[in-house]
Amino acid sequence: MTTKRTIIPALLAAVMVMGPFVQTGAAQSPSGDAQILFFPTPQPDSKKPWLVRNFGPVGIGINLVKPGLTMQIHNVEPGSPADQTGQLKKGQIIDRINGQDLAGGRDAREVLGDMITQAEATDGLINLTIRDMGNVQVKIPVMGGYEKNWPLNCSKSDTIVRNLAAVLAKQDKPRWGSVLFLLSTGEDSDLDIVKKWMRSFETLGTYQWHIGYHGIGVCEYYLRTGDERMLPIIEEAAGELKKSIYNGGWSGRGQPASFTYSTGTGQMHAAGVHCLTFLLLARMCGVEVDDEMLQSALKQFYRFAGHGNVAYGDGLPEGGFRDNGKTGGLAVAMAAAARLTPEGESSVYAKTRDNSAMKSFYATNWFHAAHTGGGIGEIWHHAAMGLMHDKRQLQYRSYLDTRRWVMDLSRRWDGSIGIAGMDDRYDRSATEQERSWGTLFALTYTLPRKHLQLFGAPPTKWCKTYQLPTRPWGTPADDMFQLPTPVEAPGAISMRQILQELVPTDSSQPLMDRINAKAKDQNGGIPLEYLAHPDYGIRSATMRALVNSQRYDMVLPLLRSSDPRYRDNGLLAIAGMFKGRGMPASEITREMFDAVGMILENPNESWWVLQNAANALARADKSVIAKHHQRLLELLDYDSTWVKTAAVKALGPLIADPQHYQNVLPKVVNVSASFWNDAASGTCTHILAQEMNAASPEVKAFAFPILKEAYKNVPSSFIGMGGARQPNATQVIRTRIGNIMEGLPGGMDFIKQLPKRTTAYARSGDDQDLYQYSGEFTPNPQLVGTWAWAIWPRPKSPEELPAAAEKWVKSAQKQIEEYNNLPDSQKRGRNRKTLWKDTLEIKDGGLVKSTNYFKGYFWSGDMLIGINSDVARKMGIRNFGGKDFLIIESGGFDHDDMATDWNSRYTIYMRID
């Protein structure tokens, strides 16, 4: 059933300009009740106060507290209009502002923002009714109202821009966003300020956050002016990114983070996606950027487009609509790619840009809601919609007008701008801190002016082109997922309908409400047209509703569709989707699995569809999977972690199967051991472990030499193309393979007797300095006992150890007494962990138990030996003040620093048992 929707004047009135200022309000539900647009939102019964950090240019912060969002002054900004009254102070209760309270049901932030908008459009008066005092009048500057096409052709917007530009002009050096903002205004006077800054600008540093956020502005400056002094700075930064790139992405603070960091393989895409944008712009500047690095990063980020949200790190795309702006950042990166490659608007990058940018429109409801606080996301949601100013005029207008209140609440009395809506680290302006995130948010006012190359400025003579791949990932069928247009099929939503979408009715929350409501209505039926929507999240949510409503009759036609997006919908019904399980196994028919098999066997199929097809096939009987085992083995050779992981899932039942193990097991083992990705490694080795546990002795004997070779072949260091080292990757992967081997005859003995690195080896590099366990335990009764982590900071030399030990004993006396008073039965496990940062229990026979640092070790003689960590550490005991202290070499092999000083060589424990 196709739902026809038309644009009606009453609806437009909610989001378009009416009268002297923009009048916005929450959309109305059919019952007439106010529908909240922005989540999370202040609630009258909230347990904690909700801080509106700045009541726009008035100069006060307002706490919204119980009961009923009562307004309480949180702070008064010195020098502000509020401060100039001399009557306002922290803690005062505001009963009404201009005769209004916050009890009307609308989002309190919208109400407060509208008050600013109306006052600036009329007389500038803000009348605060202060409890037990009466009226206090605050006067803010009159600016007039927002014009119909704001921020273009709008005197109020122009005034806001000039006020911020004046603030930035006072800076002795550029802060976050300052260069981009002044370049975006198009004013010669602002360009002069940037030129002055750039005369003393020398480096973008080494942190990826800095290179991405500052570097984009430096490139735009060069492309505007041709100032050749910028070229070595850009080239140096590109070199720094090569040093720190790992597996196509970056962390945020130099080298990769831990291998298991947020299943992201040490990556943080909120920073890394802007590094890609910088590299593309650097190439546009004519700077020689390492092509292998550029292609690696381009593939890493491009593959997220059209498949949901850009993930936190090197994981699968994330579902839903909250993304901290990473997908908006991807849209900006793809804008750079489309400008750089000669195909321009005919390239896949232009389509990917538009598809990713529109995610911000649908994500409108999830406001300031993401990891670390969502303010950073609002920067890139607005920037992404700035890319759509001409292409999706109605959607751009609806988006911006619905968020007008955010812009007015974000403005400070001194002309600087923050990011209003939530009290998080990002609501900071240029006069409040160095990282003035709000200046980037203020680009909302200037991007449509088209003075930045990223946002449509005419190319200058300094703009170079560079041939990018036709597509960095996938097949031509994958291009369909990048389209900003819907599936063309009977009953599908049309492009005409897409172009009529408005925030109050068609952003994610109201649209999901409509889909889910109809899914529950037995007579209404699911709005099936949304199965064809260009946004992946909306298609996925529609499939979830379809499965929940048991519309299994739709699955087979979708699987047989000629459009890969429809085929993907059908696969989601079987494999499951974001916050939705697949259909019951009893409802999956032979015809459905036949269709899945046809998809899987198609050599030209979309890679995204292939990985979902393998995930769907994993639910089939072993006999069905076996029909396609050769094709699944072929998928293990694809240049896609996602496809390989899904193929291993599907092959799982065949790993130890008597008819297939000789063909399947070796490839699965080798692929599982080869991943430079935590999530893929963990998933595949878990499947291997399950199958090996239940395998026959014959299969285990066959697997043993294969696992031995895989274990030995895990690299001793995981190093990126520029030398970036992935911390603890070797240990994690070896531990996972080792855990499988421990269940095989002779497996543990093999692992224990492998050569281990020592501090001496780290210094010499001589294999003679490796430690090799003989296989026979050497007792050392002095070491047996329970030891607690001790002495921090570490002494810088051995001579400092006695005094440091005695000081530590005194400071830890309370913990020691508390521990000694515990019954013997409680002197273990969790109770020890609450008292000490780590406890190390060394037992006779070689067993080691650690609550933190030395898990996965055994001991013999005077050596503490890693089972899977490839490390052996020498131990010794020294006595100070009647207490035994265990001194353990920390090793020089865990870090690039090979210094031999005391501080970097020892971990110290104190005997407690």
Side-chain angles (χ1 to χ4, degrees):
M1 181 181 68
T2 301
T3 302
K4 294 183 177 180
R5 293 170 292 118
T6 58
I7 305 174
I8 56 175
L11 182 57
L12 277 176
V15 293
M16 305 297 279
V17 177
M18 300 294 288
F21 64 97
V22 176
Q23 177 67 53
T24 66
Q28 298 295 308
S29 68
S31 66
D33 296 326
Q35 178 181 324
I36 297 172
L37 283 181
F38 300 100
F39 301 96
T41 190
Q43 295 293 331
D45 56 351
S46 176
K47 294 180 180 179
K48 294 182 179 180
W50 187 293
L51 176 60
V52 177
R53 180 177 288 276
N54 290 89
F55 181 30
V58 173
I60 59 173
I62 300 176
N63 255 331
L64 305 179
V65 300
K66 287 174 130 182
L69 298 178
T70 297
M71 296 177 281
Q72 182 184 53
I73 295 179
H74 176 267
N75 63 284
V76 179
E77 299 172 41
S80 67
D83 184 43
Q84 291 175 14
T85 67
Q87 300 179 70
L88 299 175
K89 60 184 179 180
K90 181 176 181 177
Q92 290 174 324
I93 299 297
I94 306 172
D95 286 323
R96 291 177 301 283
I97 302 177
N98 287 352
Q100 288 184 260
D101 57 28
L102 303 181
R106 285 182 63 209
D107 189 315
R109 298 164 299 181
E110 292 187 69
V111 175
L112 292 170
D114 281 351
M115 291 174 181
I116 299 298
T117 308
Q118 186 168 17
E120 290 181 334
T122 53
D123 55 12
L125 297 182
I126 300 290
N127 288 290
L128 307 176
T129 304
I130 305 298
R131 187 171 297 178
D132 301 327
M133 177 186 290
N135 186 66
V136 175
Q137 190 173 86
V138 180
K139 183 75 164 65
I140 62 175
V142 174
M143 291 186 173
Y146 283 108
E147 302 295 336
K148 180 179 180 180
N149 293 317
W150 78 281
L152 296 180
N153 305 315
C154 174
S155 60
K156 175 173 179 174
S157 299
D158 293 343
T159 300
I160 292 168
V161 169
R162 296 317 313 153
N163 287 347
L164 177 55
V167 170
L168 301 181
K170 297 175 184 178
Q171 297 176 349
D172 58 349
K173 61 180 181 179
R175 297 185 176 187
W176 287 57
S178 299
V179 170
L180 268 180
F181 184 81
L182 290 187
L183 291 175
S184 71
T185 69
E187 299 289 340
D188 290 341
S189 59
D190 295 336
L191 180 59
D192 290 341
I193 297 298
V194 177
K195 288 179 177 178
K196 181 186 74 172
W197 286 336
M198 291 304 169
R199 284 197 290 269
S200 58
F201 193 83
E202 296 182 351
T203 181
L204 287 165
T206 60
Y207 272 19
Q208 294 87 357
W209 284 108
H210 298 166
I211 293 173
Y213 273 74
H214 285 308
I216 293 172
V218 172
C219 290
E220 287 278 5
Y221 171 70
Y222 172 78
L223 295 171
R224 175 81 62 86
T225 66
D227 184 347
E228 293 187 357
R229 202 179 156 278
M230 296 300 105
L231 296 179
I233 295 174
I234 296 170
E235 185 176 8
E236 177 193 50
E240 290 295 335
L241 289 180
K242 183 176 179 181
K243 291 178 186 177
S244 58
I245 193 171
Y246 177 86
N247 211 24
W250 293 271
S251 182
R253 301 175 181 85
Q255 294 296 297
S258 169
F259 183 69
T260 56
Y261 176 67
S262 190
T263 64
T265 324
Q267 297 174 356
M268 181 189 291
H269 287 344
V273 69
H274 308 301
C275 294
L276 172 60
T277 304
F278 165 75
L279 290 175
L280 293 164
L281 287 178
R283 206 67 189 76
M284 192 183 297
C285 293
V287 170
E288 289 296 324
V289 174
D290 184 271
D291 193 62
E292 184 184 3
M293 168 179 62
L294 181 61
Q295 302 291 354
S296 174
L298 192 61
K299 183 179 77 171
Q300 169 71 254
F301 289 97
Y302 173 87
R303 66 201 174 125
F304 290 108
H307 303 136
N309 294 319
V310 175
Y312 189 100
D314 188 18
L316 283 164
E318 296 172 356
F321 294 89
R322 296 190 294 177
D323 76 330
N324 222 347
K326 297 185 294 296
T327 308
L330 176 62
V332 175
M334 293 299 98
R339 292 299 296 263
L340 177 62
T341 198
E343 298 91 337
E345 289 300 301
S346 299
S347 68
V348 295
Y349 304 104
K351 298 176 180 63
T352 300
R353 172 200 62 206
D354 296 348
N355 184 293
S356 298
M358 285 305 294
K359 175 71 76 172
S360 295
F361 175 88
Y362 301 112
T364 295
N365 313 109
W366 303 105
F367 178 67
H368 261 275
H371 180 64
T372 75
I376 191 173
E378 302 313 315
I379 294 170
W380 300 105
H381 290 158
H382 281 228
M385 286 307 295
L387 292 167
M388 307 307 293
H389 177 269
D390 296 335
K391 295 176 179 294
R392 296 288 181 89
Q393 294 181 12
L394 184 64
Q395 284 74 45
Y396 171 82
R397 184 81 270 139
S398 177
Y399 177 90
L400 206 62
D401 287 344
T402 307
R403 284 166 170 258
R404 187 272 317 142
W405 64 269
V406 181
M407 304 310 301
D408 277 349
L409 273 190
S410 296
R411 290 169 31 233
R412 311 310 200 226
W413 67 272
D414 61 7
S416 63
I417 295 178
I419 308 176
M422 289 277 285
D423 179 28
D424 63 24
R425 68 178 73 178
Y426 303 109
D427 187 12
R428 300 294 185 272
S429 78
T431 55
E432 293 170 349
Q433 70 174 31
E434 180 74 21
R435 290 187 180 182
S436 45
W437 303 94
T439 302
L440 290 158
F441 191 54
L443 289 166
T444 304
Y445 289 104
T446 55
L447 293 180
R449 297 183 181 190
K450 296 185 179 180
H451 294 298
L452 297 176
Q453 290 297 318
L454 282 172
F455 292 86
T460 67
K461 63 181 179 180
W462 298 288
C463 294
K464 307 293 192 299
T465 60
Y466 182 74
Q467 185 64 59
L468 295 175
T470 302
R471 73 187 54 78
W473 185 88
T475 70
D478 281 293
D479 297 350
M480 301 296 288
F481 287 89
Q482 323 301 343
L483 294 177
T485 54
V487 176
E488 294 183 9
I493 192 170
S494 68
M495 193 60 195
R496 180 185 65 82
Q497 289 174 299
I498 294 292
L499 292 175
Q500 292 177 355
E501 290 178 327
L502 299 170
V503 167
T505 54
D506 303 291
S507 54
S508 57
Q509 191 59 41
L511 198 151
M512 293 302 100
D513 288 346
R514 188 158 65 247
I515 290 172
N516 292 331
K518 288 201 172 186
K520 294 176 182 178
D521 180 359
Q522 296 297 320
N523 298 318
I526 301 167
L528 297 176
E529 67 265 31
Y530 291 114
L531 290 173
H533 199 282
D535 184 82
Y536 186 84
I538 292 172
R539 295 200 304 272
S540 176
T542 306
M543 282 307 302
R544 183 173 65 235
L546 186 147
V547 171
N548 290 343
S549 296
Q550 301 179 19
R551 287 294 308 275
Y552 309 135
D553 59 300
M554 293 294 302
V555 175
L556 191 57
L558 289 170
L559 291 172
R560 291 172 173 172
S561 171
S562 61
D563 192 296
R565 291 173 289 181
Y566 264 6
R567 295 197 295 276
D568 184 62
N569 285 341
L571 293 167
L572 291 179
I574 299 173
M577 68 294 292
F578 177 67
K579 291 189 176 180
R581 294 183 178 181
M583 55 196 290
S586 59
E587 299 293 340
I588 306 175
T589 65
R590 179 181 58 80
E591 289 80 10
M592 290 179 187
F593 277 130
D594 286 345
V596 172
M598 290 183 66
I599 291 171
L600 197 71
E601 296 288 346
N602 180 1
N604 300 315
E605 183 58 272
S606 147
W607 287 7
W608 179 254
V609 172
L610 279 177
Q611 64 101 20
N612 274 333
N615 286 330
L617 190 68
R619 297 192 64 191
D621 291 337
K622 186 188 299 185
S623 60
V624 176
I625 296 173
K627 293 178 184 178
H628 304 284
H629 81 276
Q630 201 57 48
R631 175 59 172 158
L632 290 169
L633 290 174
E634 290 175 7
L635 297 186
L636 296 181
D637 294 324
Y638 272 52
D639 186 20
S640 169
T641 300
W642 302 345
V643 172
K644 289 179 180 179
T645 305
V648 171
K649 289 181 185 177
L651 286 166
L654 305 183
I655 288 173
D657 181 73
Q659 296 183 37
H660 296 95
Y661 74 87
Q662 292 184 342
N663 191 23
V664 173
L665 192 147
K667 287 204 72 170
V668 170
V669 169
N670 291 331
V671 165
S672 300
S674 69
F675 284 122
W676 283 36
N677 176 286
D678 169 47
S681 164
T683 297
C684 294
T685 51
H686 177 70
I687 292 169
L688 261 175
Q690 284 184 316
E691 297 302 322
M692 284 296 96
N693 285 340
S696 67
E698 179 185 4
V699 173
K700 289 182 177 181
F702 177 81
F704 186 69
I706 298 169
L707 287 163
K708 276 176 59 175
E709 196 64 23
Y711 187 100
K712 289 192 293 186
N713 289 338
V714 175
S716 59
S717 294
F718 282 68
I719 304 175
M721 65 182 67
R725 293 175 180 269
Q726 176 61 69
N728 79 327
T730 297
Q731 179 176 349
V732 169
I733 294 177
R734 279 188 175 154
T735 298
R736 288 169 176 166
I737 300 172
N739 288 341
I740 299 171
M741 294 190 68
E742 288 174 20
L744 305 181
M748 179 58 82
D749 290 339
F750 161 75
I751 294 169
K752 283 185 173 183
Q753 294 177 44
L754 286 172
K756 308 291 184 180
R757 290 175 296 161
T758 64
T759 300
Y761 172 80
R763 294 171 182 164
S764 69
D766 191 336
D767 286 352
Q768 292 183 357
D769 288 325
L770 292 169
Y771 172 83
Q772 186 157 13
Y773 178 56
S774 67
E776 292 187 12
F777 171 71
T778 302
N780 189 340
Q782 284 185 309
L783 296 177
V784 174
T786 302
W787 305 83
W789 180 88
I791 309 183
W792 189 263
R794 294 171 178 169
K796 295 180 180 179
S797 69
E799 290 74 24
E800 295 180 10
L801 182 55
E806 291 179 13
K807 182 178 179 181
W808 182 264
V809 172
K810 291 180 181 178
S811 66
Q813 193 61 43
K814 183 177 179 181
Q815 289 166 278
I816 295 170
E817 291 176 359
E818 188 175 346
Y819 177 76
N820 288 336
N821 289 331
L822 288 173
D824 289 343
S825 61
Q826 295 182 25
K827 289 182 178 180
R828 61 179 184 272
R830 183 178 299 175
N831 290 316
R832 286 209 305 261
K833 196 170 184 177
T834 59
L835 292 171
W836 313 98
K837 193 170 184 178
D838 182 34
T839 57
L840 182 64
E841 193 173 356
I842 298 179
K843 295 188 174 184
D844 197 12
L847 182 63
V848 169
K849 287 189 176 180
S850 172
T851 56
N852 199 346
Y853 297 137
F854 293 109
K855 293 179 179 179
Y857 278 74
F858 70 103
W859 74 281
S860 179
D862 61 354
M863 301 300 290
L864 186 63
I865 308 151
I867 295 174
N868 295 303
S869 64
D870 194 24
V871 169
R873 308 173 188 273
K874 195 166 185 177
M875 300 183 289
I877 295 176
R878 294 180 70 179
N879 188 284
F880 301 103
K883 282 284 184 183
D884 283 343
F885 286 85
L886 180 67
I887 316 296
I888 305 172
E889 287 182 322
S890 293
F893 24 71
D894 294 337
H895 309 281
D896 293 332
D897 177 17
M898 294 299 169
T900 58
D901 64 277
W902 170 267
N903 189 47
S904 65
R905 284 291 175 261
Y906 298 97
T907 302
I908 306 171
Y909 286 73
M910 178 179 64
R911 189 188 294 276
I912 59 171
D913 216 9

